[in-house]
Amino acid sequence: MKNEQKLRAYARLTVRQGVNVSDGIYVVVRCPIIAADFGRMVMEEAFDAGAKDVIMQYSDDRTSRVRYERAALDRFETVPAWQAEQSNYYAREGCVAISIIAEDPEAFSGVDGQKLLAAAKARRAALKEFYDIMDAGDLRWTVVAYPCVPWAKKIFPDCPDDIAVAKLWDAIYTSVRITEEAGIVSDPVVKWEEHDRILKGRAEKLNRYAFRALEYKNSLGTDFRVGLPEGHIWFGGSETSNDGYVYFPNMPTEEIFTMPHRLQADGTVFASMPLSYQGCLIEDFSLMFQNGCVVEHHARVGEDALTRLLDTDEGSRHLGEVALIPYDSPIRQLGILFYNTLFDENASCHLALGRCYPNTVRGGELLSEEELASRGGNSSVNHVDFMIGTADMTVTGITSDGEQIPVFENGNFVF
Ligand code: ZN
Ligand code: ZN
């Protein structure tokens, strides 16, 4: 009974705050089949919020795995036009997009990496229209999570299945600020508005400094400097679409982030958490940068997956995002490693290999790929966050006249 109430609050939060469904709009929902009960609730809430229609795109990792194991490589090199059109059509017609994720961090471990790579490239190319409309700020989107047994067991290996899943639910609800007191589930909207103000305040502060570079140091061995392009913009919390609707691309979200210059990263960064990439775990890894490019990489576990990531395309060796998250963020305070980027990225300062968010540089969403590159923006099939924050992380901002301003000390914001 209580769970039903919380799930309902979560579905409503996804629809109202996440994508802010407006009157007469299409809602496209990507939903794993194991999350179908939640998917149907999201659907109901979307219609209640005024959706013209709700299009469910169900998927199943175990089905995908059978195909990866048995179909030939060339099956993954193209996406049939009819399939791509399902997403492109609704983007063109005006839609919002909800992604529900329920990922087994090792769903595809052992699968031929060439097939995973081919599928990722083909999908990105086939859905170019969809992603272009999204990047231009014309499509509101959000990502939310739903537990599955293999994911929950990865986090809580010693618990029976049902307890592990229940614990993961608790962690998800806490991180999206859905709480319960005396059997009554609180309305998370007020908490999200307050949280949004805090994130926006930090972003504003950094925008006023307009740093030329950030320098990172910690005891893991990170000693790294990244340049920030002229006109970069820090964002945090909600975003506003071109037609003026406020929405949250990620739930949870604790980060403020901006664009790094794709040719200005030097030194070595050590990952502070494992990374789950295409269903493969990469652990204890480091990347050495020169002039923005990864020139050396090591991983204790999953080095081949890391190599595959870096070799995807030219842009996968360059950075597309810099994000600051205090070590005392509520998600880190849960003390859980989620093995999922949606959560782990919100527990730690991170960088992303690959594609930048064009809107994180002034006017960037209106630029061609070449123009964006000349401003320092990176392009790639990939956008993969990896975590670098630690309890002893120091981040220093360098102003245009070379002044050094402390931004992070002992893993947290100085201001
Ligand atoms: Zn991020
Ligand atoms: Zn990212």
Side-chain angles (χ1 to χ4, degrees), residues 14-310:
T14 303
V15 164
R16 307 264 171 170
Q17 261 61 47
V19 288
N20 195 352
V21 166
S22 48
D23 245 358
I25 198 153
Y26 287 114
V27 180
V28 176
V29 184
R30 287 186 201 148
C31 182
I33 55 174
I34 65 142
D37 62 336
F38 181 58
R40 285 187 290 268
M41 250 185 214
V42 165
M43 203 176 174
E44 290 166 357
E45 290 295 329
F47 276 116
D48 289 352
K52 174 157 61 180
D53 207 350
V54 183
I55 298 90
M56 299 301 289
Q57 299 180 338
Y58 283 106
S59 66
D60 175 41
D61 281 352
R62 289 168 69 181
T63 307
S64 302
R65 186 172 176 111
V66 172
R67 193 161 166 265
Y68 280 126
E69 284 171 346
R70 284 170 169 74
L73 175 61
D74 64 1
R75 289 302 86 208
F76 301 95
E77 287 167 348
T78 53
V79 173
W82 64 266
Q83 208 173 38
E85 184 62 7
Q86 199 196 29
S87 296
N88 291 337
Y89 170 83
Y90 287 108
R92 203 182 304 134
E93 291 293 308
C95 72
V96 298
I98 296 170
S99 274
I100 301 166
I101 56 163
E103 289 172 357
D104 170 0
E106 298 188 79
F108 302 125
S109 62
V111 162
D112 178 359
Q114 290 305 315
K115 291 180 184 173
L116 294 170
L117 181 57
K121 278 188 177 173
R123 183 180 159 77
R124 186 79 204 173
L127 269 60
K128 186 173 187 311
E129 188 177 3
F130 177 90
Y131 287 117
D132 282 351
I133 291 170
M134 185 165 142
D135 285 344
D138 287 322
L139 191 162
R140 312 194 288 281
W141 55 283
T142 196
V143 184
V144 296
Y146 185 98
C148 62
V149 172
W151 179 22
K153 290 285 283 186
K154 182 84 196 167
I155 305 172
F156 307 106
D158 301 328
C159 295
D161 290 4
D162 55 335
I163 304 287
V165 167
K167 287 179 96 150
L168 181 50
W169 265 127
D170 283 346
I172 291 174
Y173 285 140
T174 303
S175 69
V176 298
R177 297 173 159 74
I178 292 174
T179 53
E180 184 190 315
E181 256 169 66
I184 296 167
V185 176
S186 68
D187 183 355
V189 171
V190 179
K191 285 182 206 150
W192 272 87
E193 284 171 351
E194 184 192 313
H195 178 49
D196 197 30
R197 273 195 296 278
I198 293 171
L199 293 173
K200 293 230 156 15
R202 287 177 185 151
E204 250 168 57
K205 193 141 200 167
L206 288 175
N207 283 332
R208 264 183 263 125
Y209 278 119
F211 291 128
R212 201 176 57 188
L214 295 178
E215 286 179 359
Y216 295 75
K217 280 195 174 70
N218 69 12
S219 61
L220 275 182
T222 292
D223 189 353
F224 172 73
R225 180 188 170 108
V226 60
L228 304 178
E230 211 173 306
H232 68 272
I233 307 168
W234 288 93
F235 281 101
S238 64
E239 296 197 15
T240 305
S241 62
N242 292 337
D243 52 359
Y245 287 94
V246 174
Y247 67 105
F248 286 89
N250 283 343
M251 302 191 107
T253 184
E254 300 289 335
E255 64 173 349
I256 61 161
F257 63 99
T258 192
M259 186 186 286
H261 196 293
R262 71 187 180 94
L263 300 177
Q264 297 172 11
D266 290 278
T268 302
V269 282
F270 283 80
S272 57
M273 292 178 162
L275 169 66
S276 173
Y277 172 64
Q278 293 184 333
C280 309
L281 267 187
I282 308 172
E283 293 182 68
D284 296 332
F285 62 101
S286 64
L287 302 171
M288 192 173 112
F289 289 83
Q290 252 170 37
N291 300 323
C293 185
V294 175
V295 291
E296 215 181 291
H297 65 281
H298 299 284
R300 188 179 57 80
V301 175
E303 194 169 90
D304 51 338
L306 181 58
T307 306
R308 191 168 73 241
L309 159 58
L310 293 169

